[in-house]
Amino acid sequence: MIMLTIPAAIGYVRSDISGLRQQWDEIQIRSVARRLGYTLAKTIVSGPYTENPVQRLIDTVQTREAEAVIVPSADHFDGEVPTELVAVADVITVSPEQTYARWIIPPDAPADMGSR
């Protein structure tokens, strides 16, 4: 019998970016996770003085074996989704809803078409 597991996701919020909307942002993250078929394993909240927030997020993704990070917007990464995070998990922004997907095959790798 094949057992299917539900992939895990980690939520990420920067409290200084969310401000008074933090609770709403966390609700939105849970909603997107559920709609896309993820189990939300944990939501990490960082502030403006958190040391190495992206590395802490990467460590949590690896520890929890998460497939995705869901964040309210790229603003929570100072406007640009970190490539080192996308290397270990898909990153999904709630608004606008966009997925920054990991590449199984690097985008600049030559395609091996075999004998075609």
Side-chain angles (χ1 to χ4, degrees), residues 85-112:
L85 179 58
V86 177
V88 297
D90 294 344
V91 177
I92 301 164
T93 56
V94 173
S95 181
E97 191 169 318
Q98 187 168 354
T99 300
Y100 299 81
R102 295 169 286 176
W103 285 88
I104 295 172
I105 301 171
D108 57 351
D112 180 7

Side-chain angles (χ1 to χ4, degrees), residues 73-86:
S73 70
D75 293 342
H76 291 255
F77 296 117
D78 295 325
E80 191 170 326
V81 175
T83 56
E84 64 267 33
L85 179 58
V86 177

Side-chain angles (χ1 to χ4, degrees), residues 12-17 22 44-60 76-78:
Y12 178 72
V13 174
R14 272 217 3 223
S15 60
D16 57 317
I17 303 295
Q22 182 173 329
I44 295 177
V45 179
S46 293
Y49 304 109
T50 303
E51 283 191 44
N52 299 319
V54 173
Q55 186 58 53
R56 289 180 61 212
L57 187 53
I58 289 170
D59 292 345
T60 302
H76 291 255
F77 296 117
D78 295 325

